[in-house]
Amino acid sequence: QQQVKQSPQSLIVQKGGISIINCAYENTAFDYFPWYQQFPGKGPALLIAIRPDVSEKKEGRFTISFNKSAKQFSLHIMDSQPGDSATYFCAAAFSGGYNKLIFGAGTRLAVHP
Amino acid sequence: GAVVSQHPSWVICKSGTSVKIECRSLDFQATTMFWYRQFPKQSLMLMATSNEGSKATYEQGVEKDKFLINHASLTLSTLTVTSAHPEDSSFYICSARDRPGMSYNEQFFGPGTRLTVL
């Protein structure tokens, strides 16, 4: 119930295309769903996050779509660029306690010019 | 704002020695800090959660006597890997949360420390 399942494991997209990464969770108590971007040898950086009271959030080229009934959320990267090539992690957390983040397995995105 | 630093960025040590990694919140007070371990091409695995002035809470399977965590101030937490062995070689990342009521739930991550045990 604590797991967050992420797919695909790796993704190749052409420059200008749309990158889509999906995540699913089981625990309905989760109420915070962030996405992180990590470059090799660096710590993860928060890209965008959403709460279950909204179905979509957009920040620049990055959009989170959230389906509460299906317990799924996804990251869409519009107009993908070679500089977006990185590993992306979805995560989930719930209120109370220390708000531990439960991470997905990660998706390695390669954007080809 | 919300910058977290780690020191050192990389360290190589001999098997059997101890290594200390520092995690600092530079521009905010971190009531809670988290320590993660990441093996190559894998996700972040939470090792422990520490709150300033209290004992750390370790995740299942993490040896508390091997990975000593100290959170002595609101801006500093340390992870000491005692009697390190080659299997402890990994990328160690810390994160920090600021005071409750601000930046709800958001954790700010450090740049990571690459530990290699020979």
Side-chain angles (χ1 to χ4, degrees):
Chain A
Q1 274 207 338
Q2 291 286 74
Q3 280 189 323
V4 177
K5 295 182 179 179
Q6 183 172 348
S7 63
Q9 192 174 36
S10 62
L11 181 61
I12 298 175
V13 173
Q14 291 299 120
K15 179 182 175 181
I18 302 174
S19 305
I20 302 174
I21 305 170
N22 302 298
C23 283
Y25 63 98
E26 288 295 324
N27 193 332
T28 55
F30 287 138
D31 61 358
Y32 176 67
F33 302 90
W35 284 90
Y36 289 87
Q37 179 188 56
Q38 185 180 31
F39 292 105
K42 305 294 183 183
L46 179 66
L47 261 182
I48 186 172
I50 198 169
R51 304 196 190 287
D53 53 345
V54 296
S55 60
E56 186 176 281
K57 183 175 181 180
K58 183 177 180 179
E59 290 184 2
R61 295 185 295 111
F62 302 95
T63 300
I64 297 181
S65 296
F66 186 82
N67 187 328
K68 189 174 181 178
S69 60
K71 292 185 284 187
Q72 295 175 347
F73 59 109
S74 60
L75 175 70
H76 294 232
I77 305 174
M78 312 300 287
D79 187 26
S80 300
Q81 298 297 312
D84 297 330
S85 298
T87 299
Y88 293 81
F89 294 97
C90 64
F94 47 80
S95 305
Y98 301 124
N99 306 121
K100 294 190 301 185
L101 286 170
I102 310 299
F103 281 90
T107 296
R108 291 163 62 192
L109 171 66
V111 181
H112 290 177
Chain B
V3 178
V4 175
S5 70
Q6 282 184 239
H7 178 80
S9 55
W10 59 271
V11 57
I12 302 173
C13 70
K14 292 182 179 180
S15 184
T17 61
S18 295
V19 174
K20 180 184 285 188
I21 302 170
E22 293 185 348
C23 177
R24 293 181 185 272
S25 56
L26 299 185
D27 52 1
F28 68 99
Q29 293 183 319
T31 53
T32 305
M33 286 185 169
F34 303 86
W35 285 96
Y36 296 85
R37 181 166 53 181
Q38 185 179 35
F39 292 107
K41 298 182 181 179
Q42 292 190 22
S43 188
L44 286 78
M45 297 300 297
L46 180 65
M47 299 175 66
T49 302
S50 74
N51 287 284
E52 183 262 340
S54 61
K55 290 184 178 180
T57 302
Y58 290 81
E59 295 299 301
Q60 192 173 12
V62 178
E63 300 174 59
K64 61 179 68 176
D65 294 330
K66 181 170 184 62
F67 299 99
L68 301 178
I69 292 172
N70 183 283
H71 193 164
S73 78
L74 284 171
T75 59
L76 173 65
S77 176
T78 60
L79 167 68
T80 301
V81 183
T82 63
S83 187
H85 290 284
E87 58 266 30
D88 299 322
S89 298
S90 188
F91 194 51
Y92 292 86
I93 307 171
C94 72
S95 70
R97 284 187 61 226
D98 53 20
R99 289 192 179 277
M102 299 171 61
S103 300
Y104 176 67
N105 268 348
E106 183 170 356
Q107 292 183 25
F108 303 98
F109 284 83
T113 296
R114 173 75 58 193
L115 170 63
T116 302
V117 185
L118 302 177

